Amino acid sequence: MMEREIFNLQLSVEATSAYILMCSLQEKGKILTDDTIEPYWQGTTEQFDSALKELKKHGVIEEESHLDKIRYVVKKRCDWKR
């Protein structure tokens, strides 16, 4: 579920967009990987990578390794860093 608090973190447009996209895909039952997110991403690969780094830096997402793939997990708002 998307948390409106994301806007209070004052992240870049790309990071906020990536968060909204990831929440939307997760609500549809998708496992969040590069393969499931990138087809919906409207920016460049560099913007996507930068957005993920920013989300990780603020504790909004974390990475998990699973069968040689990286899965992204959207963390609860209480785990986010300002």
Side-chain angles (χ1 to χ4, degrees):
M1 178 170 90
M2 189 187 100
E3 296 282 353
R4 295 188 56 76
E5 182 70 21
I6 195 72
F7 300 109
N8 294 334
L9 290 179
Q10 299 181 343
L11 303 176
S12 67
V13 171
E14 292 82 10
T16 303
S17 297
Y19 170 78
I20 293 168
L21 175 59
M22 293 170 91
C23 287
S24 174
L25 292 171
Q26 187 171 276
E27 286 176 9
K28 293 177 182 174
K30 302 278 186 189
I31 295 171
L32 301 176
T33 66
D34 290 341
D35 293 339
T36 60
I37 300 168
E38 285 185 2
Y40 300 97
W41 181 251
Q42 298 296 310
T44 65
T45 301
E46 292 79 18
Q47 289 171 321
F48 180 68
D49 292 340
S50 177
L52 293 178
K53 285 179 188 173
E54 190 173 353
L55 290 172
K56 286 185 279 187
K57 176 183 172 186
H58 289 277
V60 176
I61 64 170
E62 66 181 9
E63 294 180 351
E64 295 179 348
S65 295
H66 182 73
L67 300 175
D68 295 332
K69 286 202 175 210
I70 300 293
R71 286 185 178 182
Y72 303 103
V73 176
V74 177
K75 297 175 72 177
K76 293 180 181 178
R77 184 181 70 186
C78 61
D79 295 327
W80 298 358
K81 303 170 193 161
R82 292 196 167 264

